[in-house]
Structures are given as C-alpha cells and as structure tokens.
Amino acid sequence: MAESIEKLIIKNVDGVLTALVTSGVLKRFVAGTFLPEDGARPACGMMPNDEDVTRGGSKYGANDQLLSLKLSLVVDEGNEKPLYELLDLIYEIDKALMVSKTRAGLAVTTRKLARRFLFLDPVTPMAGADVDYGIVYSSDIRDPAVKV
C-alpha cells in the first residue's frame, strides 16, 4: 500500500526530531502526543494540527494543502534560566527543520506559523511552549499518495 504525501512528510519531520535526540539536543521525542509531561527533559511531542486544503489548487487535478504540525516542548523549570533553555531549544529545532524546507522534495516549503509560551513560573515543575510549523504541499485529487 502506498503512503500518502502527508504521512511521508510527517515521517520526515519525525526523522529530523529523532536525530535531535541522537545528537543530545533533546532527551526525548514522542510522535503522537501533545505534551510529553513524564520523563527526561528537554522533550518534544508532535501532533498534526489542522490541514487546509484548496481543491483544484495551483495545478490542474491537484489539492494544495497546508499541513500544520504542533510541536510541544518542555524543559525543566528547575533550571536557573528555563526561558533561555526553551529559546535555545526552539532555535535548534528551527535550524534543524530548515535544513530541508522541502521535506526531501515532498513539499513546497516549511515555515513557522506560531509560537506560544505555555508556562514559565516557579510553581509549575516545567517550562513549555507550543510551536506550530506549516508545510505546504500538493497531491493528486484522486490519490493522496501521488505528488503533483
């Protein structure tokens, strides 16, 4: 069975974030969850957000799509400067995701859509942010596994 372009793009981002665990930037990455509360930090969870589809988009027979992925990031609040650790983590993820904006040729581009700081106070035992990335791609109207 062929995989959809959307799934291949998500697998590509998964690979980039998994490599950040291997390199030591992240201690943990979990695909399919909004907030990795338990376990080692810094950590990242990834979930698809919304997807906007324009039928009959830029090319005949194509759906132009904007896939939004939410990355939920968590660092230790107990660190001396959790805000700076969080900003450094966001920077490293941005840098890694922008190496191949086309997601290995599957997409038109990748861009950051939004960033929200969730909690940064001494009462909460962690500091976190949600960062949304938008990935623009096209697929065939009849078969989402076919790139157009």
Side-chain angles (χ1 to χ4, degrees):
M1 172 186 274
E3 295 181 313
S4 70
I5 302 300
E6 175 186 35
K7 183 177 178 182
L8 293 171
I9 289 170
I10 291 171
K11 284 177 143 183
N12 176 277
V13 173
D14 185 305
V16 170
L17 296 172
T18 299
L20 290 178
V21 173
T22 304
S23 70
V25 171
L26 286 167
K27 290 193 177 165
R28 209 161 51 92
F29 164 66
V30 183
T33 184
F34 283 111
L35 187 60
E37 293 182 11
D38 301 327
R41 298 183 191 123
C44 174
M46 176 181 73
M47 283 289 289
N49 223 2
D50 298 326
E51 184 176 47
D52 293 328
V53 178
T54 305
R55 288 187 61 82
S58 59
K59 299 175 187 168
Y60 179 76
N63 282 333
D64 286 350
Q65 299 173 74
L66 172 63
L67 170 64
S68 175
L69 293 176
K70 180 182 296 299
L71 302 186
S72 296
L73 310 175
V74 179
V75 299
D76 279 326
E77 180 68 47
N79 293 348
E80 188 175 327
K81 304 280 186 181
L83 173 61
Y84 300 139
E85 182 182 356
L86 196 51
L87 288 170
D88 288 345
L89 181 59
I90 292 168
Y91 166 76
E92 291 296 332
I93 289 171
D94 280 348
K95 191 168 68 169
L97 287 175
M98 295 308 138
V99 168
S100 173
K101 290 182 177 186
T102 64
R103 313 272 47 97
L106 296 166
V108 175
T109 193
T110 301
R111 62 180 183 260
K112 189 184 324 182
L113 300 176
R115 178 183 71 189
R116 289 169 295 290
F117 290 99
L118 302 176
F119 30 78
L120 282 168
D121 63 75
V123 178
T124 308
M126 63 185 122
D130 280 344
V131 184
D132 295 341
Y133 289 89
I135 302 166
V136 178
Y137 70 99
S138 292
S139 65
D140 189 89
I141 287 175
R142 293 168 300 283
D143 187 352
V146 175
K147 181 180 176 295
V148 180

